[in-house]
């Protein structure tokens, strides 16, 4: 069997120096039927390794569950990497950051009082141990010394940016070893002395995460990793976008020059990202350094392969740089040159969300959090028995609430704008609140914070109690028209679910224009394409061809605000919005 090890100055593959030229490709952000295509293109760019994180919360939406179906089939992904003749790096966290909801930590972890995440705390450690066991049961037989592709496993992720509980970090490494992982382990940290200090472990290779000033960063890393190979575990070649910000791109020439400097220095690299993919469903995270900034649906990342898997200018520039240091296959993937089909379809038969309320209702004295309801969108109802105008106020809005009185819209409060109060024109009748979680923070101390309307909720000076809550079952929305009691109406005030059908001759990637709508979620043939929002920058949603059918296709849209047009427009190409320059 092949053997991979850490030598005095290099990685060693069967005793010979080996440079890892890897690219990040998250299986959970790409439709499984497109994995082989993306992996093959990585090989053609000259990569010899594919790196992926593992998102704990996606695999384990509830305690005791470990789902490996469809887009979560890590074993199939690793086998496809091996079939392409590439190696693999697995980064199971338990925390992954990655602009992913909660940085990959399941929301249910935070339900039990006293659980402290990313620390040596018994309740957290028990859950992590079970999770790592489940993931590593898949990885163990796929390690290189057992005939598989996996040559490196990462411990935690940028731990030095979060904490300094060395006992915890050591326990994670020991749990990984205890689960039968025999390949070398690594940690990653930003190249800052204090972070490399707190995030590193003796006997585990320290690596860095950075995208510029390569010489200086490698020198910092070398101080903390005096011997062994130098590796940039995350060579940031682009960046992610937040709603309300610009679309980020980086200069091809400058990024290629930094990659060149890294390879010229003899370092190994994992290009973050090689292909970013998409935050399908409600999987995107958020940043909060004082201002809450949710991440958009696209994870294009301005990577060498764009969101739809087409090689960009950066692909060709990186391939050329890599060819100076390693053999690169002769074949070059062609730019697709195709535009996606352009057409329109009519959204119709709206069903009001407040009236249909598809989901489980429960009764609560005090306002429950979304986490308690296991909901990402929920409706809360109570009867007001006052009279005249009154101020409705919340402790904190996480992340957006739409307010209705007797079915009529009163206004919207948003966390980003730190809005917490709204004047009700009268205080008698049915108060309804539609609350949306826009993505959990994935970096820094706010990971795991509860979502929803954080109390107390007051009408004037009095706390409002006695709530009926409906946890919206989003998976049911694409099938709402089949449900008893759900009748389309001509005009619906407030959130509504719409549908359109269209015919296509065959599957093809599609780009759904969303800038013409308000804020919501879209599905094609039951597949959740993710959130859209007119504020941008993302103005089209990517529809991967494997979810498109030849024949009749059904588009379903949950519009929370207002649809200025009921025309659904499919564009020829992606529009990820304006850049800063
Ligand atoms: C850090 C994290 C990654 C990702 C990048 C930014 O390096 O380790 O998971 O969040 O930042 O894209």
């Amino acid at each position: 069997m092949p053997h991979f090890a850490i030598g005095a100055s290099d990685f060693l593959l069967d005793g010979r120096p080996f440079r890892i030229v890897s690219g990040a490709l998250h299986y959970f952000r790409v439709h499984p039927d497109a994995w082989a295509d993306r992996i093959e293109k990585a090989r053609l760019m000259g990569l010899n390794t594919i790196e992926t994180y593992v998102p704990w919360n996606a695999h384990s939406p509830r305690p005791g569950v470990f789902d490996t179906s469809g887009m979560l089939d890590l074993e199939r992904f690793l086998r496809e990497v091996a079939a392409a003749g590439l190696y693999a790096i697995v980064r199971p966290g338990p925390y992954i950051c990655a602009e992913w909801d909660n940085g990959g930590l399941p929301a249910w972890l935070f339900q039990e009082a006293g659980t402290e995440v990313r620390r040596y705390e018994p309740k957290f450690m028990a859950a992590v141990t079970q999770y790592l066991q489940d993931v590593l049961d898949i990885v163990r037989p796929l390690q290189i010394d057992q005939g598989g592709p996996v040559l490196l496993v990462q411990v935690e992720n940028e731990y030095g940016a979060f904490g300094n509980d060395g006992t915890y970090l050591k326990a994670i490494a020991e749990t990984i070893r205890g689960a039968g992982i025999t390949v070398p382990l690594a940690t990653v940290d930003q190249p800052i002395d204090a972070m490399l200090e707190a995030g590193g472990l003796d006997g585990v290779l320290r690596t860095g995460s950075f995208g510029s000033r390569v010489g200086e960063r490698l020198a910092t890393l070398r101080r903390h990793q005096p011997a062994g190979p130098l590796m940039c575990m995350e060579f940031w070649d682009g960046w992610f976008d937040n709603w309300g910000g610009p679309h980020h791109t980086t200069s091809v020439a400058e990024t290629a020059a930094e990659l060149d400097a890294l390879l010229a220095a003899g370092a190994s690299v994992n290009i973050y990202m090689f292909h970013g993919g998409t935050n399908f469903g409600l999987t995107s995270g958020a940043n909060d350094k004082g201002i809450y900034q949710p991440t958009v649906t696209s994870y294009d990342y301005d990577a060498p392969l764009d969101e739809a898997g087409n090689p960009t200018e950066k692909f060709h520039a990186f391939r050329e740089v890599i060819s100076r240091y390693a053999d690169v296959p002769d074949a070059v993937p062609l730019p697709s040159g195709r535009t996606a089909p352009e057409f329109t379809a009519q959204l119709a038969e709206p069903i009001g969300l407040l009236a249909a309320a598809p989901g489980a209702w429960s009764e609560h004295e005090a306002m429950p959090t979304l986490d308690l309801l296991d909901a990402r969108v929920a409706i809360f109802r109570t009867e007001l028995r006052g009279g005249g105008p009154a101020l409705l106020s919340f402790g904190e809005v996480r992340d957006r609430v739409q307010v209705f009185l007797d079915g009529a819209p009163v206004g919207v409060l948003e966390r980003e704008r730190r809005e917490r109060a709204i004047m009700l024109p009268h205080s008698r009748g049915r108060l309804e609140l539609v609350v949306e979680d826009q993505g959990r923070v994935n970096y820094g101390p706010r990971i795991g914070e509860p979502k929803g309307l954080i109390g107390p909720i007051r009408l004037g000076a009095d706390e409002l109690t006695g709530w009926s809550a409906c946890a919206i079952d989003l998976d049911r929305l694409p099938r709402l028209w089949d449900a008893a009691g759900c009748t389309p109406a001509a005009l619906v005030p407030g959130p509504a679910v719409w549908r359109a059908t269209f015919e296509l001759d065959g599957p093809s990637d599609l780009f759904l224009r969303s800038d013409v709508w308000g804020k919501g979620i879209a599905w094609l043939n039951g597949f959740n394409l993710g959130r859209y929002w007119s504020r941008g920058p993302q103005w089209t949603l990517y529809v991967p061809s494997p979810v498109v059918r030849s024949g009749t296709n059904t588009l379903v849209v949950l519009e929370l605000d207002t649809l200025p047009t009921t025309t659904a427009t499919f564009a020829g190409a992606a529009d990820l919005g304006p850049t800063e320059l």
Side-chain angles (χ1 to χ4, degrees), residues 10-30:
D10 294 288
F11 290 113
L12 299 174
L13 185 57
D14 291 331
R16 283 190 295 277
F18 179 81
R19 187 211 295 266
I20 298 173
V21 185
S22 171
L25 165 49
H26 300 151
Y27 59 101
F28 46 94
R29 284 181 155 135
V30 178

Side-chain angles (χ1 to χ4, degrees), residues 18-23 42-43 46-50 81 85-88 149 151 269 326:
F18 179 81
R19 187 211 295 266
I20 298 173
V21 185
S22 171
R43 190 182 72 80
L47 302 183
N48 57 25
T49 305
I50 295 287
V81 170
L86 300 184
Y87 298 108
L151 34 82
V269 64

Side-chain angles (χ1 to χ4, degrees), residues 74-93:
L74 175 61
E75 179 182 339
R76 172 179 162 191
F77 179 75
L78 293 174
R79 288 195 189 283
E80 290 191 6
V81 170
L86 300 184
Y87 298 108
I89 298 172
V90 178
R91 303 200 291 162

Side-chain angles (χ1 to χ4, degrees), residues 53 91 96-99 157-158 188 190 209 234 236 239-240 272 299 301 442:
Y53 278 128
R91 303 200 291 162
I96 63 168
C97 195
E99 291 68 72
N157 191 76
E158 291 192 339
V188 66
Q190 292 161 45
S209 50
E234 288 183 26
W236 300 326
W239 205 244
F240 56 91
Y272 191 98
Y299 202 62
Y301 217 85
N442 58 267

